[in-house]
């Protein structure tokens, strides 16, 4: 087990070192300007300045806060609406077409309107994140509940289980694999929503940092900001995977690894 965990760290690090060497040699060989592609040392200096000395932490915390709050509300509403869609025929008839229409609209096009409605503060970013991460989880929840095996539902009815008992004790648990797959997709999409909102109107955040760096042709700072976004995305995804393994323990295979439907 220790050897396997060590290999999972060592092999990617070898690949990273090789890529950095190729990166450095290519820049010096082809004389690529810094405003197109900086050398790795320039990026490392910005990483040290931003994350070790702390210049970027206000931006990181702002983006992280917007992403986490929007993700929470977007996913919570998505699970509720997905359950209603699966359980209520009237909801399917009256509301589902409008949800599809909203999803079909590019969220980037909605960003200026969201800024007008909700202002330049944190609320507009939270709304943008919630909108983007809503639909995948909404669909996954609905599909997961609808795919509950009918013989199990019939068995619970034989034992006089109420509709609520069937939903919470059977259908919701049967849909957990689909729900957590949607939650993992939502982590990445929520970051996209936060960055798009910060591109449109913000004075803080990693998206804002990338935007201002682009205007100044400071590509090294853009790389450093992207590293922060990558770290947030990886951390969020791994947390969801960990929570998935704890909650949906029955989906673990014989080797103890959690099987995730994506």
């Amino acid at each position: 087990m220790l050897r396997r965990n060590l290999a999972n760290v060592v092999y990617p690090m070898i690949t990273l070192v090789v890529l950095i060497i190729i990166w450095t040699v290519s820049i010096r060989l082809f004389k690529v300007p810094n405003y197109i592609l900086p050398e790795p040392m320039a990026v490392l200096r910005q990483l040290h300045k931003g994350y070790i000395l702390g210049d970027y932490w206000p931006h990181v915390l702002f983006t992280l806060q917007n992403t986490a709050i929007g993700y929470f509300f977007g996913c919570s509403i998505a699970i509720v609406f997905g359950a209603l869609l699966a359980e209520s025929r009237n909801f399917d008839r009256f509301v589902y077409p409008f949800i599809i229409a909203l999803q079909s609209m590019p969220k980037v096009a909605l960003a200026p309107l969201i800024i007008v409605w909700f202002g330049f503060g944190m609320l507009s970013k939270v709304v943008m994140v919630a909108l983007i991460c809503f639909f995948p989880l909404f669909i996954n929840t609905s599909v997961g509940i609808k795919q509950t095996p009918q013989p199990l539902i019939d068995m619970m009815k034989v034992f006089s289980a109420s509709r609520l008992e069937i939903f919470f004790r059977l259908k919701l648990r049967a849909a957990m694999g689909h729900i957590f797959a949607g939650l993992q997709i939502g982590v990445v999409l929520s970051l996209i929503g936060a960055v798009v909102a910060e591109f449109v109107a913000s004075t803080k955040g990693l998206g804002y940092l990338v935007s201002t760096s682009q205007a100044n042709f400071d590509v090294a700072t853009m790389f450093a900001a992207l590293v922060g976004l990558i770290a947030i995305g990886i951390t969020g995804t791994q947390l969801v995977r960990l929570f998935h393994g704890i909650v949906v323990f029955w989906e673990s295979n014989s080797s103890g690894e959690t099987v995730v439907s994506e």
Side-chain angles (χ1 to χ4, degrees):
M1 186 67 179
L2 180 60
R3 181 180 298 178
R4 182 179 179 183
N5 292 334
L6 185 62
N8 290 336
V9 175
V10 171
Y11 292 155
M13 290 302 297
I14 294 174
T15 304
L16 179 62
V17 170
V18 171
L19 290 176
I20 290 176
I21 293 172
I22 295 173
W23 180 358
T24 304
V25 171
S26 299
I27 288 176
R28 295 181 180 179
L29 182 63
F30 298 105
K31 298 181 180 179
V32 181
N34 287 334
Y35 62 84
I36 294 179
L37 184 65
E39 290 193 3
M41 285 305 301
V43 177
L44 287 175
R45 284 194 293 269
Q46 289 299 322
L47 289 172
H48 179 268
K49 175 185 176 183
Y51 301 110
I52 303 300
L53 300 182
D55 289 2
Y56 295 169
W57 282 112
H59 299 287
V60 173
L61 294 176
F62 185 77
T63 299
L64 184 60
Q65 184 181 29
N66 295 333
T67 303
I69 296 174
Y71 178 80
F72 172 78
F73 282 106
C75 291
S76 299
I77 297 171
I79 292 174
V80 172
F81 274 56
L84 287 173
L85 177 67
E87 292 292 294
S88 173
R89 187 173 299 176
N90 289 329
F91 184 87
D92 192 356
R93 292 172 178 172
F94 287 99
V95 179
Y96 187 62
F98 295 98
I99 295 177
I100 293 296
L102 179 63
Q103 174 60 22
S104 301
M105 189 180 304
K107 302 303 179 294
V108 177
L110 279 176
L113 187 59
I114 292 173
I115 298 298
V116 171
W117 284 348
F118 298 99
F120 289 85
M122 187 180 71
L123 182 59
S124 59
K125 282 73 175 175
V126 169
V127 171
M128 188 69 182
V129 171
L131 278 176
I132 286 186
C133 69
F134 167 84
F135 196 76
L137 185 54
F138 167 73
I139 291 297
N140 275 28
T141 302
S142 176
V143 170
I145 292 174
K146 288 180 179 180
Q147 288 184 353
T148 304
Q150 187 61 41
L152 295 179
I153 297 175
D154 294 336
M155 183 183 68
M156 291 198 70
K157 288 180 178 179
V158 168
F159 288 98
S160 302
S162 66
R163 187 173 181 179
L164 282 177
E165 288 176 329
I166 293 175
F167 175 77
F168 284 107
R169 294 187 177 183
L170 176 60
K171 292 184 177 180
L172 192 59
R173 295 184 182 185
M176 278 298 175
H178 290 79
I179 290 173
F180 273 97
L183 287 171
Q184 288 196 34
I185 297 171
V187 170
V188 179
L189 295 180
S190 63
L191 268 178
I192 294 174
V195 171
V196 167
E198 290 169 4
F199 278 167
V200 175
S202 184
T203 58
K204 195 184 295 184
L206 291 174
Y208 165 79
L209 196 61
V210 171
S211 181
T212 54
S213 301
Q214 178 192 15
N216 298 327
F217 292 96
D218 188 358
V219 183
T221 300
M222 294 173 65
F223 271 88
L226 291 175
V227 169
L229 291 171
I230 291 171
I232 294 174
I234 291 176
T235 303
T237 302
Q238 292 304 315
L239 286 174
V240 173
R241 285 180 179 270
L242 178 63
F243 195 48
H244 183 189
I246 294 172
V247 174
V248 197
F249 56 88
W250 56 88
E251 288 190 2
S252 296
N253 58 22
S254 57
S255 64
E257 295 179 346
T258 303
V259 179
V260 180
S261 302
E262 293 181 317

